Amino acid sequence: MEVRRTTVRDMRRSNRSVILTGIYRDGPLSRQELSMRTSLSPASVSNLVTELIAEGVVEEAGSVESEGGRPRVLLRVAREFRYVVGAEVGETRVRVELFDLAMNVLATVDHSIDAPEPAMVVKHVLEGLSSVVATSGVRSELILGVGVAVFGIVDADGVVHAQTLGWDAVPLGQMLAEGTDIPILVDNGANTLGQAEMWFGAGRGATDAVVALVGSGVGAALVAGGSSYRGTRSSAGEWGHTTIVYGGRSCRCGAAGCLEAYVGAEDVLNRYRETGATLKAIDEEAAFAELLELAVAPGPAAAIVDDTIGYLAAGFANLVNLVNPERIVLGGWAGLLLGERYLPRLREEVGRHALRQPYAQVSIEVCELGRDAVALGAATLPVLRLLRDGGALPS
């Protein structure tokens, strides 16, 4: 077994990473605060910050009064040092957004799709990339990378396994990379939603959390000890394909009784239509919103929505008992619609199914970043790489 020795260069990059991550995640911060948070000496912090400022990665952001001394200069990551792009590949649309490093949206483009066929997805992502670059006026060489959020299990090299949609080892990362010189990073949409909410939204401050994505499909991002838990081969978080009813409804994955078959928007609408009732809306999102509006009165819609809340609560209770998170965040476009109307009832139902002690330790919240948090989270993928590399740019 080969043992790799840590060099001075490695240590310096690691220290730069710690400092840069602290400034980005919790800034603006002063040099004194960085020294206290990182346990690095004031001299080390000063030297590394001076480097980062000289390279344009970090900039001064005003000052605050200190007790009995000179004002403390605050530091932040320079928002225009570089730019990032986030793409959300859903089952009905592809959304591409360009951000500065403060995660301000500078340009957005949406493409509606009938079915997420790989070649068509690649075409829309690359066209969207060209469009947001042209609209924003940002030079492509200043873009750190493109983060792409997609359904299914995503290997480290960007190969996608989406059993529910017939994607079998699709080399999406490679297909996208062939059409652009900008680095491509691919991850599961629930994971990117989770990263966005943990960094900027309802998960901020938690170290053990679950961020659930409920849309056409269902998934979850697991965070343990402040780090994303991916499992042996990145497939952890396929919560939608845990069995909620033995021998139950057929799921798109081919199994029976999966949570997604009872909570995913497509299946909720199918259960409603199986009662013989109809909806005016054709678009899935509009139809789901219409169903929730109809559910305010007694009838088939109310019964279906009541069952959906019950199944979702049981799924959350399984997470409470199994993972013991301090926080569960409900997101995804369908999850947001459900949470806006039924969060108190959902919390109550989770309490009926979960063990009392872990239930008393968990808070259940709705995603704070809105329905476009998946694309925002995708854009944090190249930011995360920049932080891990201590501000070094990809070759």
Side-chain angles (χ1 to χ4, degrees):
M1 176 178 173
E2 183 180 350
V3 178
R4 185 180 183 276
R5 300 182 65 180
T6 301
T7 66
V8 172
R9 187 183 210 175
D10 293 333
M11 187 64 70
R12 192 172 194 84
R13 182 173 63 180
S14 176
N15 290 342
R16 281 172 55 116
S17 175
V18 168
I19 287 173
L20 193 58
T21 300
I23 294 172
Y24 189 81
R25 296 284 301 277
D26 301 313
L29 296 174
S30 67
R31 291 169 176 81
Q32 293 90 333
E33 289 172 316
L34 282 169
S35 181
M36 289 170 39
R37 287 167 177 258
T38 62
S39 298
L40 295 172
S41 70
S44 293
V45 169
S46 181
N47 288 337
L48 294 175
V49 165
T50 298
E51 281 183 12
L52 292 166
I53 290 176
E55 293 166 14
V57 187
V58 169
E59 64 186 8
E60 295 184 349
S63 61
V64 293
E65 296 296 327
S66 61
E67 296 179 3
R70 293 182 301 174
R72 292 176 297 161
V73 176
L74 297 177
L75 304 164
R76 68 185 177 200
V77 172
R79 66 182 59 188
E80 295 181 352
F81 171 67
R82 287 296 186 274
Y83 301 85
V84 290
V85 173
E88 175 192 359
V89 177
E91 296 187 31
T92 59
R93 73 166 186 171
V94 174
R95 183 179 186 86
V96 181
E97 295 188 304
L98 187 144
F99 303 81
D100 62 21
L101 290 186
M103 305 317 288
N104 297 309
V105 180
L106 304 182
T108 302
V109 63
D110 274 302
H111 292 288
S112 296
I113 55 176
D114 295 326
E117 190 273 327
M120 187 61 67
V121 164
V122 170
K123 175 177 178 290
H124 285 317
V125 170
L126 293 176
E127 286 180 351
L129 173 60
S130 297
S131 178
V132 295
V133 168
T135 301
S136 66
V138 171
R139 302 198 315 274
S140 60
E141 60 267 26
L142 293 179
I143 297 176
L144 275 176
V146 180
V148 182
V150 69
F151 31 71
I153 298 167
V154 183
D155 291 344
D157 53 0
V159 175
V160 181
H161 311 265
Q163 194 168 313
T164 58
L165 297 170
W167 286 36
D168 184 14
V170 173
L172 185 66
Q174 178 184 335
M175 293 168 70
L176 289 165
E178 289 172 354
T180 179
D181 293 329
I182 301 172
I184 300 290
L185 300 165
V186 184
D187 201 354
N188 170 270
N191 288 334
T192 69
L193 170 67
Q195 186 153 294
E197 285 295 324
M198 294 302 294
W199 281 20
F200 310 115
R204 192 175 172 88
T207 56
D208 294 271
V210 177
V211 181
L213 186 154
V214 180
S216 298
V218 177
L222 309 179
V223 178
S227 299
S228 176
Y229 178 74
R230 300 300 184 100
T232 304
R233 292 290 185 271
S234 298
S235 68
E238 287 294 331
W239 171 60
H241 299 290
T242 56
T243 302
I244 198 76
V245 178
Y246 176 72
R249 294 177 62 86
S250 296
C251 179
R252 297 185 299 172
C253 72
C258 293
L259 179 65
E260 183 174 300
Y262 294 87
V263 172
E266 178 180 318
D267 290 282
V268 172
L269 293 171
N270 286 340
R271 284 194 288 126
Y272 177 68
R273 292 177 178 122
E274 286 167 9
T275 69
T278 59
L279 294 165
K280 295 178 182 178
I282 298 174
D283 174 78
E284 183 178 65
E285 295 185 31
F288 194 81
E290 182 184 344
L291 176 67
L292 296 186
E293 292 296 331
L294 293 172
V296 298
I304 293 296
V305 171
D306 283 345
D307 284 348
T308 301
I309 296 300
Y311 289 123
L312 182 57
F316 276 178
N318 288 341
L319 292 171
V320 170
N321 293 344
L322 186 65
V323 183
N324 187 209
E326 61 183 293
R327 198 170 304 167
I328 295 176
V329 180
L330 174 59
W333 65 265
L336 286 172
L337 289 173
L338 289 168
E340 288 166 0
R341 293 167 171 80
Y342 301 107
L343 185 59
R345 191 196 303 182
L346 179 62
R347 289 170 173 157
E348 182 180 348
E349 288 295 321
V350 174
R352 296 181 192 276
H353 294 280
L355 293 170
R356 287 193 298 272
Q357 184 178 8
Y359 176 69
Q361 297 166 341
V362 70
S363 64
I364 301 173
E365 312 295 339
V366 173
C367 169
E368 291 180 357
L369 300 176
R371 64 156 295 163
D372 297 324
V374 174
L376 171 65
T380 67
L381 296 176
V383 176
L384 180 61
R385 186 176 58 185
L386 179 73
L387 299 181
R388 286 176 175 169
D389 291 344
L393 295 173
S395 57

